[in-house]
Amino acid sequence: MIATTTRQADSLTPGFISEADELVSHYPVSKRSASLPLLHLWQNHFGFIDDSGVEWIAARLDLTPVNILELVTFYPWFRREQAGKTIIRVCRTLACALAGGYEVKEKFCQAVGLDPHCEHHGYGHAPPTTADGNFSVEFVECLASCGSAPVALINDDLVENISPGDVQSIVDSYK
Amino acid sequence: MVSLLPTPHPKERRLIFANISKPGYAPDIENYLAHGGYEALKKALGMKPAEIIDAVKASNLRGRGGAAFPTGVKWGFIRHDDGKPHYIVVNGDESEPGTFKDRYILHQDPHQLIEGLAISAFATNVHLAYIYIRCEFPKAAKIVWEAIKEAKARGYLGKNILGSGFDLDIFVHQGAGAYICGEETSLIESLEGKRPYPRIKPPYFPAVLGLYMKPTIVNNVETLCHVKHIISMGPEEFAKMGSPGDGGTRTMCVSGDVRRPGFYEIPCGGVTLGELIHDVCGGMKPGRQLKAVIPGGSSAKVLRAGEVFKMKTKGPDGQMAEKDVPLLDLVMDASSLMAAGSMIGSAGVMVMDDSRDMVWALNNLNQFYAHESCGQCTPCREGSLWMSKVTTRILDEGARPDDAKNLKGIADNIAGRTVCAFGEACSWPTQSFLAKFPDEFEKRVK
């Protein structure tokens, strides 16, 4: 497991715990079903999921930590390291690639100051992130918006029909 | 957002997108009710559940998620009074490259889905349903949640819906970035809080051993929306709109090298591929010719411009006769594309022109499948990665004389040897690109 100096679970608030309780209540048949919702809640709150998060969620759902850890390492969305405040996820797959998605991704890397060729290794690692912690850029697979390619998901916003010349002003709007 | 043209193309017929395309249409319940919302649910609650299932059977509705399985038949596998809990899981994991229709329904008309789902739940004796939405649609999840709360507050969900005695609770469940979760048994595992490794069929048909090992229906978003329209307009009219055995409308998602990419709701079998590309989508980009089409999402086998298919069709004298059908005259419905050796799938039509390199295009898809294989079955886990490595190497360094043969060998040894259909999905692109464009691989041999 990746070592962290502070334990996220030590700073839980009553508000967070009641949100977790509400999510568990959506699964009256099996609370194990709340694994993904609690992981989302945790990552949205803390930015990533540390060992204490894995352990807390497992305990809350009467599971062993490995039941949760194996989800964090499987699903590409979850990470065990802090990512940038703004995460730029550029679609890599065919329709976007046909429309220039690779060039757009390179421009995003340049605009935030990342090496366009730095690799993202997945398995819980954060995507490549700027030294100031403001931006991460990564390729993701099809975002289901092929009619307005190329697209990127920037935090919760879908940005469509991106031309390479637009990239700098898009990045500036997230500064 | 891609916005629909306010005036539909003459080939279009909008049911699902009738309201969404109206200027100023908003996803809240007031707006939905002002456009006749929840009237179909009222009508359905006055019917017998078996009558609703019969109506869906008679409508010839096929699933819009990819497999095109008849929806009424799927529902018929559930025994109404078997004493077990039943569930419906809505597949809103829309992830098949080339497909982008459910996104607009979820964001812009969530009550249409909720109404279709409530009718379907009433028909199949379901009291608990989940809407599985991929987490890359974070706003859609919030919008659908809000809509569920609104519907519950008005008595369209929850206990004793509209005084009928029927109860239904719906919850939104978000995925976490894995394509495999669009496979129905994988989606169920994911919803149970596990790694989404698909289950083997038999015995784990969702209708028998689904969510929590209980009879479960997994339907696509667009499919469930159609149920509302079948109840509203009657199954006969719905069936009549489409082609034999493929009723209603289908939302065609067109992307790639056409002038007007976008989604177009068209009666099933209502256009040929040529009409779709050259008329509805405004043709190829200036100065370009058609080279290849993937007609049903990235897993569908690629078709080459100029291909002619031998097909059995009914002549004017009622006799079956074999006929030559050129690619552009292919009717865009489930049976015609199957006869052409491909599939309608999720109706994600990806068009490529004569500037495109087919090895590059295949490599893009191979990288997708290598990334998305869940890793449960060895042929798929290893094979999808090998195919991706070989096509990447061909692009970087040129091909070796036996690369094409080896690629085919890998693909042929995945399909049919895996727990789920991902095995076919990842090998069909390689098999079909090699078969249709052998010259592009040969010319790269050093």
Side-chain angles (χ1 to χ4, degrees), chain B residues 292-311:
Chain B
V293 181
I294 300 172
S298 64
S299 310
K301 289 190 174 179
V302 68
L303 304 171
R304 180 176 185 147
E307 271 191 271
V308 178
F309 305 95
K310 292 239 179 277
M311 285 193 183

Side-chain angles (χ1 to χ4, degrees), chain B residues 97-287:
Chain B
T99 315
F100 49 99
K101 55 192 180 64
D102 299 339
R103 147 187 296 288
Y104 300 102
I105 301 170
L106 293 167
H107 283 90
Q108 298 179 27
D109 204 6
H111 284 287
Q112 184 178 197
L113 171 62
I114 293 168
E115 184 172 10
L117 173 54
I119 296 167
S120 309
F122 177 67
T124 53
N125 199 12
V126 164
H127 305 289
L128 178 59
Y130 291 95
I131 304 178
Y132 191 107
I133 300 177
R134 64 182 300 193
C135 66
E136 294 89 339
F137 294 174
K139 289 182 182 168
K142 290 196 184 93
I143 290 166
V144 176
W145 258 126
E146 202 47 50
I148 290 170
K149 285 183 203 152
E150 287 178 330
K152 200 164 178 175
R154 303 293 186 101
Y156 299 114
L157 290 177
K159 295 271 175 226
N160 190 20
I161 294 173
L162 301 175
S164 65
F166 173 63
D167 304 337
L168 174 65
D169 278 315
I170 304 177
F171 297 101
V172 169
H173 186 91
Q174 284 184 281
Y179 166 76
I180 193 64
C181 294
E183 198 279 340
E184 59 182 5
T185 61
S186 165
L187 190 150
I188 288 170
E189 287 283 301
S190 181
L191 183 50
E192 290 186 0
K194 301 171 190 162
R195 275 196 172 196
Y197 293 142
R199 297 173 178 173
I200 198 157
K201 303 184 229 182
Y204 298 107
F205 291 105
V208 185
L209 296 166
L211 182 63
Y212 308 130
M213 292 298 149
K214 294 293 185 286
T216 300
I217 293 165
V218 183
N219 274 150
N220 171 263
V221 170
E222 186 189 353
T223 311
L224 288 170
C225 291
H226 277 301
V227 172
K228 169 196 157 158
H229 300 285
I230 292 167
I231 297 303
S232 293
M233 65 167 48
E236 294 78 18
E237 203 191 323
F238 186 89
K240 223 165 49 190
M241 286 177 73
S243 58
D246 201 358
T249 60
R250 175 179 275 113
T251 306
M252 314 288 310
C253 312
V254 188
S255 61
D257 300 324
V258 291
R259 289 191 205 208
R260 282 199 300 273
F263 56 102
Y264 301 92
E265 188 177 354
I266 293 171
C268 291
V271 284
T272 63
L273 181 60
E275 289 166 340
L276 185 65
I277 292 174
H278 290 295
D279 185 4
V280 178
C281 296
M284 303 299 292
K285 296 212 168 122

Side-chain angles (χ1 to χ4, degrees), chain B residues 356-423:
Chain B
R356 302 302 183 180
D357 175 346
M358 291 297 109
V359 181
W360 173 88
L362 175 62
N363 183 53
N364 185 285
L365 296 179
N366 281 350
Q367 290 186 347
F368 172 81
Y369 289 107
H371 185 262
E372 299 298 340
S373 172
C374 79
Q376 180 176 217
C377 310
T378 309
C380 169
R381 181 185 65 238
E382 303 300 322
S384 62
L385 187 62
W386 293 348
M387 292 191 294
S388 165
K389 282 182 171 175
V390 172
T391 49
T392 301
R393 181 172 50 68
I394 295 175
L395 289 178
D396 290 346
E397 302 168 17
R400 298 172 189 166
D402 55 357
D403 272 344
K405 186 171 133 265
N406 284 342
L407 270 177
K408 183 173 184 302
I410 299 166
D412 291 350
N413 280 296
I414 303 171
R417 290 174 167 83
T418 55
V419 163
C420 82
F422 188 104

Side-chain angles (χ1 to χ4, degrees), chain A residues 17-33:
Chain A
I17 292 168
S18 71
E19 261 188 88
D21 292 344
E22 164 68 23
L23 288 172
V24 175
S25 78
H26 296 173
Y27 304 94
V29 182
S30 163
K31 57 185 171 179
R32 184 171 183 175
S33 285

Side-chain angles (χ1 to χ4, degrees), chain A:
Chain A
M1 288 202 176
I2 297 160
T4 47
T5 48
T6 54
R7 284 168 41 88
Q8 291 171 337
D10 292 342
S11 62
L12 292 183
T13 60
F16 181 96
I17 292 168
S18 71
E19 261 188 88
D21 292 344
E22 164 68 23
L23 288 172
V24 175
S25 78
H26 296 173
Y27 304 94
V29 182
S30 163
K31 57 185 171 179
R32 184 171 183 175
S33 285
S35 301
L36 290 191
L38 292 188
L39 284 166
H40 279 299
L41 179 71
W42 199 279
Q43 182 161 293
N44 290 341
H45 187 79
F46 291 105
F48 66 103
I49 300 150
D50 75 355
D51 289 355
S52 75
V54 169
E55 287 158 12
W56 189 88
I57 293 169
R60 178 66 186 78
L61 301 178
D62 293 332
L63 300 168
T64 58
V66 72
N67 297 136
I68 299 301
L69 183 64
E70 68 173 357
L71 304 180
V72 177
T73 54
F74 182 93
Y75 289 97
W77 195 258
F78 298 128
R79 57 183 175 267
R80 298 179 37 70
E81 299 170 350
Q82 193 66 263
K85 287 194 193 84
T86 295
I87 303 179
I88 300 170
R89 297 180 169 98
V90 184
C91 178
R92 191 206 64 83
T93 324
L94 189 54
C96 282
L98 289 168
Y102 274 72
E103 190 188 350
V104 164
K105 192 239 177 184
E106 205 170 303
K107 292 281 184 221
F108 271 115
C109 288
Q110 287 162 354
V112 303
L114 283 169
D115 173 4
H117 303 291
C118 60
E119 285 198 35
H120 178 201
H121 295 288
Y123 304 107
H125 290 288
T129 302
T130 55
D132 61 10
N134 282 332
F135 286 98
S136 292
V137 179
E138 66 175 329
F139 256 151
V140 292
E141 299 301 339
C142 188
L143 288 171
S145 192
C146 316
S148 53
V151 300
L153 182 68
I154 306 185
N155 296 336
D156 282 359
D157 308 324
L158 183 76
V159 187
E160 300 168 277
N161 294 309
I162 304 171
S163 76
D166 298 340
V167 166
Q168 188 63 54
S169 63
I170 294 169
V171 167
D172 290 344
S173 71
Y174 285 89
K175 275 180 180 163

